[in-house]
Amino acid sequence: MKGRGTAKPLGALVLLFALWNGGLTLFHGWASLWWLGLGVDFLLIVGIAELLGKMIPPAYAPLYRRSLSVSFPLLLFIAWELLVRGGVLSPDWFPPPSRIVQALWELITKFDEFSKTSLLGRPWLLPGAIGGSRTETVEELLAESHLYATLMRVFVGFFLGAIPGILLGMVMGVSPTIRTMIDATLSAFYVLPKIAIFPIMMLIFPDPFGEGPKIAVVAISVFFLVTINTMVGVRDIEPVYLEAGRNYGASGFRLFYHVILPGALPVVFAGLRLALGTALIVIIAVEFVRAKTGVGFLTFYYWEILSPEKMYAGLVVVMVLGVLLTAGLKKVEQWVMPWRRP
Amino acid sequence: MDRTNGASLKIRASHISKVFSNGKGSVEAIRDFSLEVKEGEFLCIVGPSGCGKSSFLRILAGLMTPSSGKLEIQPGEDTSKPLTSMVFQEYAVFPWKTVLENVGFGLRMRGIHKAERHAIAQSWIERVGLTKFIHAYPHQLSGGMKQRVGIARALANDPEILLMDEPLGALDAQTRMVLQEEILRIWEERRKTVVYVTHSIEEAVLLGDRVVLMTAHPGTKKAEFPILLPRPRDLKVTATPEFGELTYTIWEALRGEVLSAMESTGAGSSKGVG
């Protein structure tokens, strides 16, 4: 009954949408009025989605909402594609999504003979290298992969930063003396942009252009975030859990293992999630500045040789990496903290 | 009539004081509080909010040290048993442990091996009616069920003295009544020494052998009332005239305190008594 009441306005909105876009196209209005065209389109789409939502039976409401969150970005890509093809947006700055996808495919499947690299290197040679029938070794083949370079730096840096960060954070959370001694220094280092200490790292390490300084910068960024979050996590444990632990005979390491550690874990993982994102940001920035490998280098390289679709493809890789790494951490979190599973 | 006549003393607290101090000044939570509890006695401490009754319980539990005074607790014959186990108002059931692990926690800390520990924990879980939830995590349980876990955890630990800090304070009225009867039923089986803190006079009269009235600012003993209602008790006792008389007598003694406490804290807190 309710649905019938909204059917008419819905039809009117769809008609208006068609007329507006058709009219703009017919009278060549897009070139000068594209911002107005898109703005009105957005409002019309919101109206249509709202009315559609009212007509959907409640059982399908979650499905409808999910499809909304997927189809809107898709719609954006279509609009982008059409605006470029219609000559409104310049393909030099905004290559159409179809060409970005194509560039991404090339990056993955083709080995760039000139720069001797690609996103994945030449994985198709790996079986031969492992079998010993090729002149290239496995290490050499891996070194050709920019994705592998970035992932290695993120992973190694993340672990080298997170493990001492958790340890120091726990100690600071438990001991007021150590906390008082270190807290101010930690806060001062925390606000420092970590990319700014990259030159110092290059001075410290014997090979300034090797992996050492890059991994060190990632590790340091991760370390401060994880330390601070772990400390807060320990301090935010409800005092009554500590009382219960002590009253039931736990002290020292057993109090730590049974009460403090699990009590702090949710905030520790919030810190790890933040740190993982930051690790990715830092490594891409470092690779922009000074690296001969990595997704960041690849992105910057294609800017230098003016290949915008490949530059965009590099950015897409970074975004996908971010989503996948965060999802992976979420899985680890559910595995470590089964009591929080819904 | 005093059922605890002749029983040995379990707790002797003499002239206990507790002062909390920080940089700005100090607050006297407990002043010159003396109390004796006999073996197998169910003692209730009633008082207005902030009268230091929870602090006294924490001193008994060894979680706090008194600023002055002397506390003696008579250990049992089996010295491997813990002196006290506490049931907390906020349940304090570990969210990261299952019902079974929570109930067996004290036993595990005492080094009792898994098979025996699980057997003891299981029998207590059964007695509080949570067998179906034995492997559940606390977030899957209601408040009343969580507190059942808290009570089972304390009893599985088999302490010399059971300390209960407003254990039913956070529950709704109906759940509270169900758990009051459960506490009575379980206590009648073993007659363990209990120190039970509450701000509900009815609850104290229903459960206790003796009610100690505490006053606030600073917390000290104001009066004591023996509760001679027949045992075993259940909620039916609340319908008797004796119950009503006792409750009103204690309320009369407490009323002045509550009023002065409300005046001293300004507009008066929303927390009632009883």
Side-chain angles (χ1 to χ4, degrees), chain A residues 237 240-250 254 257-260 262-263 338-342, chain B residues 58 61 63 84-86 88 90 92-97 105-106 108-109 137 139 150 153-154 157:
Chain A
I237 296 174
V240 77
Y241 291 132
L242 299 174
E243 286 187 329
R246 283 201 205 99
N247 185 237
Y248 286 88
R254 288 196 303 177
Y257 179 76
H258 287 283
V259 183
I260 296 171
W339 65 88
R340 281 164 72 89
R341 221 171 270 167
Chain B
R58 276 164 175 74
L63 293 168
T84 64
S85 290
M86 188 135 157
F88 297 85
E90 312 87 336
V93 168
F94 301 123
W96 47 86
K97 291 188 182 288
F105 182 70
R108 183 167 182 186
M109 291 302 110
Y137 284 104
H139 77 92
R153 174 174 68 179
N157 207 21

Side-chain angles (χ1 to χ4, degrees), chain A residues 280-327:
Chain A
L280 209 57
I281 293 170
V282 167
I283 198 60
I284 297 299
V286 165
E287 286 171 355
F288 271 11
V289 180
R290 192 155 304 283
K292 290 282 163 251
T293 53
V295 180
F297 161 77
L298 202 72
T299 309
F300 209 72
Y301 171 76
Y302 285 117
W303 173 79
E304 282 176 318
I305 66 164
L306 288 178
S307 175
E309 56 268 17
K310 285 196 174 161
M311 200 173 90
Y312 273 85
L315 296 182
V316 170
V317 171
V318 176
M319 289 195 280
V320 171
L321 263 187
V323 171
L324 288 183
L325 287 179
T326 312

